[in-house]
Amino acid sequence: MAIKFVRIYPKNRFLAWTEERLPLLSFLASHTTGYYTPKNLNIWYYFGVFALLVLVNQVATGIFLTMFYKPNAAEAFASVEYIMRDVEWGWLIRYMHSTGASLFFVVVYIHMFRGLMYGSYKKPRELVWILGMLVFLVLMAEAFMGYVLPWGQMSFWGAKVIISLFGAIPVIGNGLTEWIMGDYLPGDATLNRFFALHVIALPLTLLLLVTLHILALHEVGSNNPEGIEISEKTRPDGIPLDAIPFHPYYTVEDTLSVFLFLLVAAFIVFYAPAVGGWFLEHDNFTEANPLVTPAHIKPVWYYTPYYAMLRVIPHKLSGVLTMFAAIAVLFLLPWIDRGKVRSVRYRGRGFRIALIVFALSFVLLGAVGAGVTAELIPAWLGPEAPANTIENWFGRFLVCLYFGYFAFLWVYTYFGIERSRTPPDRVDMGATDEVRR
């Protein structure tokens, strides 16, 4: 039992009349005080709350920015400059939005990694995982549309490079590319389409998916670091012995963590909003010019692992398919992993090593995609070293490690090679039932 329905009877006559016809307060209570969560959740579980907080920030600041932004090639860059220089507190709202985009991916990537560690994608939470992956997919599209809107140099050339990927599709590729851009080059039509998608279609889809993700989670209950189902041990009233109400226990704890997160975010916004070009590229402070190509065209940091896969594979269509396959394979994870144990705490040594290698390969692919390795290779091996060749082979090796994780995981669990330990029956074996209550 994950949720216990709580009926609210307000003393206020108007609220009582409303609640009788639309039990909104009862619904909220059922998903807070009536939602029982494992008592042993740790710091890794904060990042789901952080993601929801950043989503609210993005919607609120985005509404403000749309009041002044002009989605056409002649005025887009100037309108952003107007927001930054002339609109009262406009610079703060813009930096909150741009910083929020990067922080969104920081917390989402950590949230996903926590799911990998503790097996949050395994039965009965397969749908929770799939909905979460759909959120991630829509978030990537939403961030890309927003990245193009400032119409700086990297916005223009990034749009041109990414949209041109569809040209790799046989037969219909070129026509599809022109249809998406609305022209032969990114311009007014592209900006108008991306603006409509960024402020209306994708946010509505994202909010719907986030709502479904949370409802699906509350239906089956939260996972925990032990990877055991707390619903199997219950009191006579059906409440799990090892669970506590989400409110007030975790809401108070989450409030403290939110304040600490906001403190870090505020430091970035006020003191280093560009983060040395990682959150806001230097080239994007220059207006888009189709006649001047930037020295290094690369996406913002949260796309770089997938961009690296595109870069290091010489055949264009193969690179595009590999990039999309890297995301698609995550959807299949609940069926790839046949292990009987959820949490990394009790899984075999092979799984732990493979998970570490997978995480390192993803981070290093990001370094390859950002061009960091191309700068370091001459420093390590000398200026005569063939940096591009070494970087390409290193990137291909990392791509193999990335996909090798899923292949290894299937073989490791399907053929029963994994030697896992047996998880405990209860979250805290030493506590009495009275203490648990």
Side-chain angles (χ1 to χ4, degrees), residues 25 37 84 209 292 310:
L25 295 177
T37 54
M84 293 290 293
L209 289 172
V292 178
L310 187 69

Side-chain angles (χ1 to χ4, degrees), residues 60-339:
T61 56
I63 291 172
F64 180 88
L65 293 174
T66 57
M67 298 177 185
F68 301 95
Y69 178 76
K70 297 182 178 180
N72 63 76
E75 298 178 290
F77 185 82
S79 67
V80 174
E81 290 297 299
Y82 174 73
I83 292 171
M84 293 290 293
R85 300 175 186 275
D86 296 327
V87 176
E88 189 169 2
W89 297 107
W91 63 271
L92 177 60
I93 302 297
R94 196 271 173 110
Y95 281 150
M96 286 175 64
H97 197 73
S98 62
T99 301
S102 286
L103 291 180
F104 211 157
F105 277 93
V106 169
V107 298
V108 165
Y109 279 137
I110 296 176
H111 189 58
M112 292 168 62
F113 182 69
R114 188 266 297 169
L116 296 178
M117 281 202 308
Y118 295 139
S120 298
Y121 50 84
K122 297 178 74 66
K123 185 181 179 180
R125 299 177 181 86
E126 301 97 330
L127 185 58
V128 178
W129 175 261
I130 291 173
L131 288 168
M133 285 306 306
L134 288 173
V135 169
F136 174 61
L137 196 61
V138 173
L139 180 61
M140 293 183 75
E142 171 76 353
F144 172 65
M145 305 295 176
Y147 181 69
V148 174
L149 296 184
W151 210 236
Q153 274 286 72
M154 291 305 296
S155 295
F156 175 87
W157 291 99
K160 188 175 185 303
V161 170
I162 297 302
I163 297 175
S164 67
L165 296 180
F166 291 94
I169 301 175
V171 183
I172 64 171
N174 292 332
L176 183 60
T177 301
E178 293 175 14
W179 179 75
I180 293 173
M181 288 194 294
D183 204 338
Y184 295 105
L185 289 174
D188 283 347
T190 313
L191 272 179
N192 275 279
R193 294 172 185 189
F194 281 20
F195 180 72
L197 291 170
H198 183 73
V199 304
I200 300 175
L202 291 176
L204 289 177
T205 305
L206 191 60
L207 290 172
L208 174 62
L209 289 172
V210 168
T211 302
L212 293 175
H213 181 64
I214 294 174
L215 290 177
L217 173 66
H218 284 201
E219 182 62 30
V220 297
S222 298
N223 191 25
N224 60 84
E226 297 293 327
I228 59 177
E229 287 297 330
I230 61 171
S231 59
E232 295 176 357
K233 305 288 184 180
T234 60
R235 296 177 351 197
D237 57 3
I239 297 175
L241 288 170
D242 296 328
I244 53 178
F246 181 77
H247 176 77
Y249 295 99
Y250 282 117
T251 51
V252 172
E253 188 174 343
D254 288 342
T255 300
L256 176 60
S257 65
V258 162
F259 277 115
L260 294 175
F261 178 77
L262 290 175
L263 186 64
V264 174
F267 180 86
I268 296 173
V269 168
F270 285 105
Y271 293 100
V275 190
W278 286 92
F279 283 15
L280 286 173
E281 294 92 335
H282 302 307
D283 283 329
N284 233 27
F285 288 95
T286 305
E287 188 172 3
N289 186 347
L291 302 178
V292 178
T293 307
H296 302 285
I297 300 177
K298 58 184 180 181
V300 72
W301 71 269
Y302 38 79
Y303 294 129
T304 51
Y306 304 104
Y307 177 67
M309 298 178 186
L310 187 69
R311 269 187 60 189
V312 301
I313 297 176
H315 189 261
K316 186 176 181 181
L317 180 58
S318 299
V320 172
L321 292 176
T322 300
M323 182 177 65
F324 285 111
I327 300 173
V329 71
L330 291 168
F331 283 86
L332 303 176
L333 195 54
W335 296 275
I336 293 174
D337 185 1
R338 303 295 185 90

